[in-house]
Amino acid sequence: MRGSPGGAGGVETLAYRVFMCAEFPSLAELLQAFVDAEVRTPVKHCVLACAGQAMGEEVVNDNLAWPIQLMPLRHALGLDEIAVLNDFEALAYALDGSLANDGRHLCGPNAHTRGPTLVIGPGTGLGAAVHIPGTGGGFVLATEAGQMDFAPNSVRERELLAMLAPEGGYVPFEHIVSGPGLLSVYVTLCALDGTTPTLAVPEAITTAAVARSDAQAVEAVEIFCGALGSFTGNLAMSFMATGGVYLAGGFLSSIVELLKRSVFEERFLHGRSARALLSQVPVWVTEHGHHGVQGAAQWYLRHGTAAPGPLQPAAAGGVP
């Protein structure tokens, strides 16, 4: 990435690739493969947008294929500086550019209004961040909201929760609302119904639910959608998200029609006085792949002047 010539806060993508983490023994080797294959101009500054939070020189995360330690990574790649932000924090910064007008309408008014805006997405975990408008582009709050306690909404969900935590205790939302969570829900429903699970990956469950070829897959996706609605409504109330909600990720994009037919909207709206507010909050579903890269670059262009080795807007002969 580089700043667009002439400044104005825009960014250019010079090269973009998708890699599978599991195919590399470390993040350093993944990034080096990208540099070797794609980079034509020396790069000395890197922004990592990844699940989890930076704690000193390490990124704390339960879902990556390997640990991320910044000092060894900096040395291995010969970088002057590495900055780290949460992946959904990066997506929220993309609301200043590429993400704002992207997405398929799910519920609420189909109009963009000013106000706090949420970006939420289930994948290997459950991420969320909020963009607060203001001067100079506003600011973004990263969250670990996916770690909040799941609360069942029906007798069936209570039975599910009792199976997931037979001794009681803490069950976070992301153990229900994520790819691994969907698989866990499906397997648990099979156990409750006394049937043998036949589907082994989340994609197979969503495919079977779309085709209505597996009763437990259909119910698992319905519970997933309902829990996502409750989670999204909770956050929308917490942050008074009058600017709307973007549900991000290829996972959700593949089940948009199921989401529309599900109890998502009813669970999102909650009840009584909350419904009056939440009925005015628009919700869209969007792919997020390239938006996260755009948002990470937007973040660095904005904050680089306060950090060593900023990624400056490109002038003639400028270095990305």
Side-chain angles (χ1 to χ4, degrees):
M1 312 292 293
R2 71 176 173 193
S4 299
V11 290
E12 283 185 82
T13 301
L14 302 180
Y16 178 81
R17 287 277 298 275
V18 176
F19 294 93
M20 296 295 292
C21 293
E23 294 176 1
F24 294 86
S26 70
L27 178 58
E29 291 181 68
L30 186 157
L31 291 177
Q32 191 64 58
F34 174 71
V35 170
D36 292 344
E38 301 290 349
V39 175
R40 302 291 176 261
T41 307
V43 172
K44 288 296 182 181
H45 309 285
C46 174
V47 184
L48 296 177
C50 52
Q53 299 291 339
M55 302 290 288
E57 285 288 307
E58 186 173 0
V59 177
V60 178
N61 180 280
D62 294 331
N63 299 316
L64 292 175
W66 10 249
I68 295 179
Q69 295 175 325
L70 302 184
M71 188 68 73
L73 187 61
R74 189 180 297 118
H75 290 159
L77 294 168
L79 296 167
D80 291 341
E81 187 62 27
I82 297 178
V84 180
L85 63 161
N86 177 265
D87 53 347
F88 277 82
E89 186 180 4
L91 276 174
Y93 275 103
L95 287 167
D96 288 333
S98 61
L99 184 58
N101 297 308
D102 183 52
R104 286 179 280 181
H105 181 248
L106 181 60
C107 63
N110 191 8
H112 295 271
T113 57
R114 186 171 174 81
T117 306
L118 287 165
V119 182
I120 294 170
T124 54
L126 178 58
V130 59
H131 180 279
I132 309 294
T135 56
F139 62 96
V140 169
L141 298 174
T143 81
E144 284 296 329
Q147 302 302 320
M148 294 191 305
D149 292 80
F150 168 72
N153 191 264
S154 66
V155 172
R156 183 66 157 171
E157 288 181 7
R158 290 176 190 168
E159 294 172 347
L160 173 70
L161 186 61
M163 286 283 285
L164 291 173
E167 302 301 320
Y170 164 62
V171 175
F173 258 101
E174 76 169 15
H175 283 190
I176 308 293
V177 186
S178 64
L182 177 63
L183 181 60
S184 177
V185 169
Y186 167 75
V187 170
T188 304
L189 291 174
C190 288
L192 285 170
D193 293 343
T195 63
T196 301
T198 58
L199 307 172
V201 294
E203 295 80 3
I205 296 168
T206 56
T207 299
V210 170
R212 303 193 69 81
S213 59
D214 183 295
Q216 285 75 34
V218 170
E219 186 179 9
V221 170
E222 183 68 19
I223 288 173
F224 172 97
C225 292
L228 176 62
S230 293
F231 176 80
T232 304
N234 286 343
L235 289 190
M237 285 189 290
S238 298
F239 291 104
M240 298 291 284
T242 54
V245 178
Y246 289 83
L247 301 176
F251 180 60
L252 291 182
S253 293
S254 69
I255 60 167
V256 169
E257 294 307 315
L258 289 179
L259 266 172
K260 287 181 177 178
R261 297 195 300 267
S262 75
V263 296
F264 172 90
E265 183 175 10
E266 186 59 30
R267 295 274 289 270
F268 171 76
L269 291 173
H270 287 62
R272 297 186 179 177
S273 59
R275 182 176 290 261
L277 166 68
L278 294 174
S279 63
Q280 298 305 308
V281 175
V283 181
W284 295 276
V285 178
T286 179
E287 291 274 8
H288 75 267
H290 205 180
H291 295 307
V293 177
Q294 292 278 334
Q298 290 279 2
W299 177 90
Y300 204 65
L301 284 173
R302 188 185 300 181
H303 293 83
T305 54
L311 174 67
Q312 295 289 359
V319 178

